[in-house]
Amino acid sequence: MTRPFVFEKPLGMRDTLPLLYETKKKIRRKMEAVVQSWGYQFIATPTLEYYDTVGSASATLDQQLFKLMDQQGKTLVLRPDMTSPIARVAGSSLKQEPYPLRLAYDANVFRAQQHEGGRPAEFEQVGIELIGDGTTSADGEVIALMIEMLKKAGVGQFQVAIGHIGFIHSVFVSILGNEERANKLRRFLYEKNYVGYRQHVKELSLSSIDKHRLLELLKLRGGKESIERAYELLPGTEGERFINELSNLYAILESYGAADTLKIDLTLVSHMNYYTGIVFESYAENLGVPISNGGRYDELLAKFDRPAQATGFGIRLDRLVEAIDQREEPSAAITGIIFSPERRQEAIELAREKREEGKMVVLQDLNGVQDVDAMSEQFADVIYCIGKNGRGGKS
Amino acid sequence: MKEWLTVAMPKGRIFHEAVDLLRKAGYDLPPEFDDSRKLILNIENERLRFILAKPMDVPTYVEHGVADVGIAGKDVMLEEERDVYEVLDLKISGCYLAVAGLPEQTIQDVAPKVATKYPNVASKYFREQGEQVEIIKLNGSIELAPLIGLADRIVDIVSTGRTLKENGLVELEHIIGITSRFIVNPASYRLKDKVIDDMVERLSEVVEGESNDENNSAE
């Protein structure tokens, strides 16, 4: 093994330089303000968790987990998402707090990347979880909150695709008869392979009506009217329940004034077996990947001994920054005070004065600078306290 | 005003068939389209921008969203495993992936060597067969490998079988049939759904029409 170069970082790890740091901070603050105004409370959890608890409960694929061992030989993971740690907190430290819980986070999560090493393996997510509320109002609330956050963050054009895992599952089980066959078909949707889906359906020994129903599922994309069409695939009370849920959700989001960004997409399967109901993803113009995703996960909390229905989402800050594509100016106007040692006292006092006025001030000993002109150029404003006679010149 | 749509096209063999298909679907592509050496071609009246990429790279352009849609062989899709929608089987450029080798070649017992342009597909295939092999990645002229003793077998696409025959190789196993697919970037699939759905609709009419013709003539 060759040693890494001194400037190298582990695969997928990135530095954040001042310009990007400021941009991220600004966007983060805007979103945090929205989250807080909706009454969600921020929490923080450890970076390391046990593989057997949070690691195995999380939605992240096993091969994407960063694993390491503690001194007792237990396997640890760098948290791959924030949902399972929050579920752990809800089931332990916040056990006494009544449901529903409204919690928020802003944290770095870690996922080892399969392809191409340059993709970020550590990235910041801002998100929320609404735990212990199974109503469609709760689904509506989190989607509306996400839309509000994206708008306030400054994303111009974006779309939110809404699907329903429970609906797909019921259609498949009602036609195919068992879970195993349903999962096989669902995998094609998860892999976004419509061609494989169609071929698989054609090869199944089913009535042509049932085959037709399965093929029609691929067309359930578009506006509000797709919800109506969905009913034809799953007639009966079960279908009615899902259709009502989706139409209610649509109506709720209309009440929030957020319906203009919605797209129904009942082929959306964002995970093989994590989500249980309504799922959603958002996409911004000029970015090929989702900037946020979420959905209902009614089975996770039971793994932490406090069963509850829950929903939530995470927004990827790195992708959001790319989607917004606006960089902050490096922190606006910094004043530089360059002094020679004999006037240090005066310079320190001047700096204090200005800092109290709310100005950003750099205090620099002249002897520590190699190129005064280059140094001065970094500042919006430079004050020289140099030499013996009074206050120095300003430039 | 219709939105611009960027289409990633594979250069070479598949290109002409794909252009043909688009024309049949009613897209007005100028004649000079066929032998231009430009890498980016804008068709103003259709509001389509074509980018001409190496076939293996088409899914990469689409995954990253610099192309909204693309035309890629299933062989490339299997090899690259990109996060894109595989929406339609265009049923053009039909061929298949196969294992081939010299006739009467005795296979090494321990870890036979397999040369291929498709290391992921090949290693997955042999793993599923329970065979232990060593994969050697080559970028072209795969048939050379068994001839000069670099590998015992090869995994490559076969369309007519002529190249194999001329080099004295025989097909040993059929892995999977390959055709070209219409692929779509997940974000574009939502943001430009109308234009893309229209294109899929028009292409699928042509594809289904042609396969029906074939069925009829076979009867």
Side-chain angles (χ1 to χ4, degrees):
Chain A
M1 284 285 276
T2 50
R3 283 178 51 156
F5 294 111
V6 286
F7 52 80
E8 266 189 306
K9 301 171 296 256
L11 225 54
M13 296 295 156
R14 289 181 180 183
D15 301 315
T16 305
L17 300 182
L19 194 64
L20 183 59
Y21 187 91
E22 287 301 319
T23 310
K24 277 188 170 175
K25 188 169 81 182
K26 200 158 179 193
I27 295 174
R28 182 190 304 128
R29 281 190 180 160
K30 285 179 189 163
M31 291 200 293
E32 280 178 357
V34 178
V35 170
Q36 268 163 344
S37 72
W38 286 49
Y40 285 72
Q41 289 178 301
F42 277 89
I43 67 168
T45 67
T47 309
L48 291 174
E49 296 268 4
Y50 283 121
Y51 171 72
D52 287 328
T53 60
V54 165
S56 59
S58 98
T60 309
L61 299 177
D62 210 60
Q63 65 261 35
Q64 282 199 294
L65 297 175
F66 279 102
K67 291 178 201 142
L68 53 156
M69 237 174 241
D70 71 2
Q71 280 162 323
Q72 284 76 42
K74 286 205 173 103
T75 310
L76 308 177
V77 293
L78 286 168
R79 60 173 174 230
D81 58 56
M82 280 300 287
T83 308
S84 37
I86 286 181
R88 177 181 57 67
V89 173
S92 53
S93 318
L94 294 178
K95 212 172 181 166
Q96 306 308 323
E97 298 281 319
Y99 281 147
L101 288 169
R102 283 178 169 78
L103 298 171
Y105 60 87
D106 170 5
N108 285 11
V109 298
F110 303 83
R111 290 177 203 168
Q113 296 302 323
Q114 308 296 304
H115 296 287
E116 294 163 326
R119 294 194 190 181
E122 176 185 14
F123 47 85
E124 188 175 343
Q125 266 193 339
V126 183
I128 61 102
E129 310 294 344
L130 174 43
I131 302 168
D133 186 344
T135 63
T136 311
S137 299
D139 291 295
E141 174 178 323
V142 300
I143 296 173
L145 173 52
M146 182 182 81
I147 292 172
E148 180 74 5
M149 284 164 75
L150 294 176
K151 278 185 182 158
K152 285 277 160 66
V155 187
Q157 287 287 320
F158 63 92
Q159 291 281 339
V160 179
I162 295 180
H164 199 306
I165 297 295
F167 171 76
I168 293 181
H169 191 67
S170 291
V171 172
F172 287 178
V173 171
S174 81
I175 295 176
L176 300 168
N178 66 45
E179 296 274 330
E180 201 191 323
R181 297 172 76 190
N183 279 340
K184 202 167 173 189
L185 196 54
R186 175 143 62 139
R187 182 161 288 280
F188 286 108
L189 294 183
Y190 170 63
E191 289 171 351
K192 303 188 172 76
N193 184 355
Y194 289 2
V195 175
Y197 179 95
R198 281 194 210 99
Q199 272 165 3
H200 186 74
V201 168
K202 274 177 198 151
E203 285 158 15
L204 290 168
S205 50
L206 291 172
S207 70
S208 58
I209 298 170
D210 282 342
K211 282 189 183 180
H212 181 71
R213 277 161 73 196
L214 290 176
L215 294 176
E216 281 300 297
L217 180 79
L218 295 182
K219 295 183 186 158
L220 294 180
R221 307 172 56 247
K224 207 175 171 179
E225 76 291 343
S226 333
I227 303 175
E228 290 299 316
R229 282 191 282 131
Y231 182 66
E232 290 158 30
L233 298 196
L234 192 65
T237 48
E238 208 181 4
E240 212 166 299
R241 186 167 66 84
F242 291 125
I243 304 315
N244 284 341
E245 211 176 305
L246 283 164
S247 335
N248 279 343
L249 178 70
Y250 208 95
I252 292 165
L253 289 166
E254 274 171 342
S255 308
Y256 276 106
D260 55 330
T261 57
L262 301 185
K263 282 268 154 72
I264 299 295
D265 184 346
L266 290 172
T267 67
L268 186 66
V269 175
S270 13
H271 194 274
M272 263 314 276
N273 46 28
Y274 184 77
Y275 294 111
T276 54
I278 285 164
V279 287
F280 48 93
E281 281 182 356
S282 76
Y283 297 90
E285 229 163 40
N286 303 325
L287 199 66
V289 282
I291 41 178
S292 63
N293 72 305
R296 183 163 279 288
Y297 50 96
D298 288 346
E299 279 153 20
L300 177 68
L301 269 291
K303 293 185 184 165
F304 295 94
D305 294 330
R306 203 186 168 195
Q309 296 171 298
T311 176
F313 64 81
I315 299 177
R316 280 189 59 162
L317 204 63
D318 55 338
R319 291 182 176 169
L320 197 58
V321 168
E322 246 185 283
I324 294 170
D325 199 27
Q326 236 171 32
R327 297 288 175 274
E328 285 306 306
E329 286 300 305
S331 24
I334 299 178
T335 303
I337 301 178
I338 299 177
F339 63 91
S340 53
E342 63 274 22
R343 289 175 61 190
R344 185 186 295 117
Q345 175 78 27
E346 181 197 335
I348 291 173
E349 272 162 27
L350 184 62
R352 181 186 295 137
E353 231 172 76
K354 294 210 167 276
R355 284 170 184 155
E356 269 170 20
E357 286 168 20
K359 290 221 169 94
M360 289 174 278
V361 182
V362 165
L363 198 56
Q364 176 63 54
D365 189 324
L366 179 66
N367 296 325
V369 188
Q370 284 184 337
D371 183 341
V372 180
D373 289 338
M375 175 97 195
S376 303
E377 270 171 28
Q378 297 172 13
F379 304 118
D381 187 21
V382 188
I383 301 167
Y384 299 97
C385 297
I386 296 168
K388 295 219 156 55
N389 33 336
R391 276 196 178 181
K394 227 177 153 189
S395 78
Chain B
M1 201 55 166
K2 227 170 101 185
E3 284 171 291
W4 277 89
L5 197 72
T6 306
V7 186
M9 299 282 278
K11 285 199 287 194
R13 194 171 54 95
I14 319 174
F15 180 78
H16 299 286
E17 286 184 66
V19 170
D20 200 35
L21 197 63
L22 285 164
R23 285 202 176 113
K24 281 183 188 157
Y27 289 95
D28 180 20
L29 308 178
E32 63 268 25
F33 199 77
D34 302 65
D35 25 47
S36 169
R37 288 187 179 270
K38 280 192 189 159
L39 296 176
I40 300 176
L41 292 159
N42 290 327
I43 309 296
E44 194 74 38
N45 55 336
E46 295 283 3
R47 301 192 75 70
L48 291 176
R49 175 179 297 116
F50 289 89
I51 60 171
L52 272 59
K54 219 174 145 105
M56 208 61 138
D57 294 335
V58 168
T60 312
Y61 287 97
V62 176
E63 183 186 46
H64 285 262
V66 288
D68 299 304
V69 301
I71 291 174
K74 182 64 181 172
D75 52 333
V76 178
M77 296 296 288
L78 289 169
E79 180 63 23
E80 293 281 308
E81 295 188 317
R82 296 284 168 176
D83 189 20
V84 296
Y85 278 94
E86 189 180 321
V87 176
L88 191 65
D89 183 351
L90 298 173
K91 299 186 178 154
I92 53 169
S93 308
C95 55
Y96 56 96
L97 272 168
V99 183
L102 287 164
E104 298 144 35
Q105 159 110 15
T106 47
I107 302 294
Q108 278 184 39
D109 302 340
V110 195
K113 288 176 180 160
V114 176
T116 184
K117 228 178 359 179
Y118 304 94
N120 290 333
V121 177
S123 57
K124 186 160 176 257
Y125 175 74
F126 286 108
R127 199 165 58 240
E128 283 167 2
Q129 307 294 310
E131 277 189 74
Q132 170 180 286
V133 297
E134 182 183 331
I135 306 285
I136 300 170
K137 155 111 197 201
L138 291 178
N139 290 304
S141 304
I142 315 294
E143 295 80 8
L144 196 55
L147 298 180
I148 63 158
L150 175 63
D152 304 283
R153 285 179 279 178
I154 61 169
V155 167
D156 204 8
I157 46 171
V158 181
S159 39
T160 58
R162 218 179 111 198
T163 320
L164 288 182
K165 211 170 179 182
E166 283 182 3
N167 288 292
L169 299 178
V170 290
E171 189 186 317
L172 302 169
E173 288 154 64
H174 182 287
I175 302 180
I176 191 173
I178 303 291
T179 46
S180 293
R181 308 293 156 95
F182 184 75
I183 60 173
V184 180
N185 172 274
S188 305
Y189 209 15
R190 272 81 200 204
L191 292 160
K192 300 184 178 177
D193 56 339
K194 289 210 171 64
V195 196
I196 293 174
D197 284 345
D198 175 56
M199 190 177 257
V200 172
E201 186 74 19
R202 285 159 71 175
L203 286 171
S204 78
E205 268 168 31
V206 177
V207 173
E208 272 162 34
E210 295 201 339
S211 66
N212 284 342
D213 287 350
E214 271 168 39
N215 289 345
N216 292 340
S217 60
E219 273 163 17

